[in-house]
């Protein structure tokens, strides 16, 4: 784990929000250029089929295709759950959400460790998607009990905080789900079908200290992936969070005994970071009268971080995170 970052420690190390945003934008640009080059190379030199047509047909029926046909780096939902089977028999949104939760609870030897999951109503996902595109970066604090931190105003905080750098990425929409599954012989999805669904999105969390040191080479501790495959048919978006295992124990995850497996984040911290996305990217919901004040504070902090970094106050961020 990265060292704890008391609030005063950040200011002493000279963290400039404008510099942080510039580095993140440069890293995102390099990633985008690399993705475009990779897509062009794959089009110029298409890979040969590694499976026979009969094997591909079986893959189509079972819904276990593990790669998308476009340039998106996101693993297809069909590689996680059997989408065609869900579409071939009536399932409600609640039933799909329950199956999604049960599936992840059965991972890593039945412990569920290393994963978090949820289902998000499409209305809320659209709000987060819009806000995430406008403000794709932020910092989420996670409290660390047992030590104290000194705020810039010389007031002591009850706990130190570790800050995680959050960054949104947006990818091509998936195909509309069907009972027959995707066509295994199609090299690219039809744009008319793909555009009918919202974009797929990922949110990467990296310790701020590590991101400052390694930038685009920093290891994300948690990756949230939003799957909008059922957005049109059931009105939900499936959320999957994958916690990165430590390098020493990554190889034992597929096995049954995961008692010695170590992850870079605890389940609780991963949940807190996922909740942080909701706190800061779902403001502006007119129906949430009871949280209107909190929404305004979240909006203000997010705007200041991007538009007026000189006004951004770390103490306000900690206070809002504590109250919500």
């Amino acid at each position: 784990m990265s060292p704890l970052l008391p609030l005063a420690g950040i200011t002493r190390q000279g963290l400039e929000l404008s510099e942080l945003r510039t580095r993140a934008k440069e890293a995102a640009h390099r990633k985008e250029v690399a993705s475009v080059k990779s897509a062009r190379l794959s089009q110029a030199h298409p890979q040969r089929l590694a499976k026979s047509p009969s094997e591909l047909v079986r893959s189509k029926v079972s819904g276990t295709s593990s790669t998308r046909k476009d340039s998106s780096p996101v693993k297809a939902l069909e590689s996680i759950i059997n989408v065609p089977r869900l579409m071939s028999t009536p399932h409600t949104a609640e039933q799909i959400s329950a199956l999604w939760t049960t599936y992840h609870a059965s991972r890593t030897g039945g412990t569920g460790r290393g994963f978090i999951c949820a289902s998000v109503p499409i209305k809320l996902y659209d709000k987060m998607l819009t806000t995430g595109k406008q403000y794709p970066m932020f910092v989420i604090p996670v409290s660390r009990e047992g030590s104290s931190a000194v705020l810039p105003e010389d007031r002591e905080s009850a706990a130190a905080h570790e800050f995680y750098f959050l960054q949104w990425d947006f990818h091509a929409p998936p195909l509309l789900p069907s009972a027959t599954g995707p066509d295994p012989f199609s090299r690219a999805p039809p744009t008319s079908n793909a555009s009918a669904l919202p974009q797929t999105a990922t949110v990467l969390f990296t310790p701020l200290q590590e991101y400052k040191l390694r930038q685009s080479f920093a290891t994300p501790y948690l990756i949230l992936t939003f799957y909008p495959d059922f957005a049109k048919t059931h009105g939900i978006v499936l959320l999957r969070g994958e916690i990165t295992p430590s390098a020493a124990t990554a190889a034992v995850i597929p096995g049954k005994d995961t008692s010695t497996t170590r992850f870079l984040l605890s389940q609780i911290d991963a949940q807190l970071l996922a909740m942080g996305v909701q706190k800061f990217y779902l403001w502006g919901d007119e129906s949430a009268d009871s949280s209107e004040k909190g929404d305004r504070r979240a909006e203000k902090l997010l705007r200041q971080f991007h538009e007026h970094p000189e006004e951004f106050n770390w103490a306000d961020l900690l206070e809002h995170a504590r109250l919500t």
Side-chain angles (χ1 to χ4, degrees), residues 183-203:
D183 184 356
F185 301 103
S186 175
R187 291 186 178 180
T191 56
S192 58
N193 283 346
S195 61
L197 291 173
Q199 281 184 283
T200 302
T202 55
V203 183

Side-chain angles (χ1 to χ4, degrees), residues 10-207:
I10 293 182
T11 56
R12 285 198 301 268
Q13 294 174 20
L15 173 63
E16 295 291 343
L17 295 185
S18 58
E19 180 184 357
L20 185 63
R21 294 201 312 274
T22 300
R23 291 180 179 180
K25 289 179 180 178
E26 290 175 351
H29 177 70
R30 289 195 297 269
K31 183 188 299 183
E32 182 178 358
V33 171
S35 177
V36 171
K37 288 182 178 179
S38 176
R40 289 177 178 175
L41 285 174
S42 62
Q43 292 174 359
H45 304 284
Q47 295 180 352
R48 296 181 178 180
L49 294 177
K51 297 181 180 180
S52 66
S54 60
E55 290 174 324
L56 287 171
V57 171
R58 285 198 298 269
S59 176
K60 172 183 175 182
V61 173
S62 62
T64 56
S65 175
S66 61
T67 58
R68 289 177 52 162
K69 302 301 181 182
D70 54 26
S71 59
S72 173
V74 178
K75 186 190 323 183
L77 184 63
E78 289 86 353
S79 66
I80 304 174
I81 59 174
N82 195 326
V83 174
R85 179 173 295 179
L86 289 177
M87 296 299 297
S88 64
T89 55
H91 283 83
T92 65
E94 292 74 16
Q95 289 173 329
I96 292 178
S97 299
L99 289 171
W100 186 246
T101 301
T102 302
Y103 169 81
H104 286 93
S106 68
R107 298 299 89 190
T108 60
T111 66
R113 295 176 62 236
F115 295 95
I116 60 174
C117 66
S119 61
V120 182
I122 181 59
K123 180 181 177 181
L124 298 185
Y125 179 66
D126 285 340
K127 288 179 179 291
M128 286 193 289
L129 204 64
T130 300
T131 308
K133 289 180 178 179
Q134 188 174 6
Y135 304 112
M137 294 167 286
F138 199 56
V139 178
I140 303 293
V142 176
S143 63
R144 293 287 181 253
E145 302 295 338
S147 58
S148 61
V150 179
L151 302 181
E153 294 82 1
D154 294 326
R155 293 183 290 107
E156 287 193 357
S157 174
H161 288 78
E162 185 173 21
F163 292 86
Y164 284 82
F165 182 66
L166 169 162
Q167 186 167 11
W168 286 80
D169 279 324
F170 307 96
H171 314 281
L175 285 171
L176 284 169
S178 69
T180 58
D183 184 356
F185 301 103
S186 175
R187 291 186 178 180
T191 56
S192 58
N193 283 346
S195 61
L197 291 173
Q199 281 184 283
T200 302
T202 55
V203 183
L204 278 66
F205 291 92
T206 308

